[in-house]
Amino acid sequence: MNRRKVRKFKAFWAWQDEKEEAWLRSMSQQGLHLTEPLAPIVYSFLEGEPRDLVYRLDYVQRMSGDERGRYLQLFQDSGWEHLGANGGWQYFRKPVEAGDAPEIFTDPESKVEKYKGLLAYMFILLPFFVMLVSRIGSRPPAYRALDVVIFILFLLYMYAFLRIAHRVRQLRRL
């Protein structure tokens, strides 16, 4: 069988990681198996026999070489295959056994820690966005379109920040 690579484009927000995991599983059930996440909205798949594979995502921004090795070894020892990383998001997969979809996070607090790491990274970038927004209106009229784009990006950034914070609050209630 000639297995070909297929690229798919699909966008997910950071708080929709469970939705992304479900989509990746459905793709494997259709015979398209993720080989690597290429960019925030680009996925590379390899055609094959349909299989029930569960995909899980973890968020880890920065790790030293030793930390990364220990981190990946922990998952490998638990039977997870690491498919790659994209913007701090780590992609793993594992076959579903006896209809049971395995989890990498067994309690809500572990999921909270994942999102808190993402929020911390976003908080570090906040001054950059504030600086860009504070310059709106101070540029010549020819740059008004740029001001509009910056303002829209800032609103999207704040929306994402608030949605992730809301997700943390939801998980803490569980």
Side-chain angles (χ1 to χ4, degrees):
M1 178 177 160
N2 187 13
R3 298 171 60 160
R4 81 182 164 103
K5 282 197 166 199
V6 176
R7 284 201 178 149
K8 296 272 183 183
F9 301 87
K10 188 146 176 98
F12 294 96
W13 290 95
W15 62 88
Q16 293 179 317
D17 53 325
E18 292 172 354
K19 186 176 178 180
E20 184 176 0
E21 291 168 349
W23 177 72
L24 291 169
R25 182 177 182 181
S26 73
M27 297 304 288
S28 278
Q29 291 168 336
Q30 297 171 44
L32 292 176
H33 309 291
L34 183 68
T35 57
E36 63 181 319
L38 297 174
I41 63 168
V42 183
Y43 301 84
S44 178
F45 295 92
L46 190 61
E47 279 186 338
E49 292 296 317
R51 294 178 57 203
D52 196 5
L53 300 171
V54 68
Y55 292 82
R56 296 292 182 244
L57 281 66
D58 189 16
Y59 182 81
V60 181
Q61 188 52 40
R62 301 269 185 231
M63 289 184 278
S64 70
D66 288 343
E67 289 173 322
R68 181 175 168 72
R70 286 191 299 273
Y71 172 81
L72 294 177
Q73 188 63 50
L74 177 69
F75 281 93
Q76 186 178 356
D77 291 347
S78 298
W80 291 95
E81 177 186 1
H82 184 249
L83 301 170
N86 188 351
W89 287 98
Q90 306 295 321
Y91 287 72
F92 297 94
R93 81 169 159 216
K94 187 175 187 179
V96 173
E97 296 172 4
D100 187 34
E103 292 289 338
I104 60 175
F105 298 108
T106 56
D107 62 300
E109 193 54 40
S110 298
K111 289 182 181 181
V112 164
E113 290 304 312
K114 171 177 71 173
Y115 291 116
K116 281 174 58 178
L118 180 57
L119 284 172
Y121 181 71
M122 291 179 75
F123 190 74
I124 290 169
L125 294 177
L126 187 59
F128 171 74
F129 278 102
V130 169
M131 182 205 58
L132 287 175
V133 169
S134 70
R135 305 242 333 133
I136 288 177
S138 65
R139 288 181 269 278
Y143 291 95
R144 293 294 186 242
L146 177 62
D147 284 348
V148 170
V149 169
I150 289 170
F151 187 70
I152 290 170
L153 289 174
F154 178 73
L155 290 177
L156 288 172
Y157 184 83
M158 292 309 299
Y159 176 71
F161 191 90
L162 293 172
R163 285 298 303 257
I164 295 166
H166 178 69
R167 182 74 176 122
V168 167
R169 282 192 304 279
Q170 284 178 324
L171 288 167
R172 284 193 169 143
R173 290 185 192 132
L174 296 180

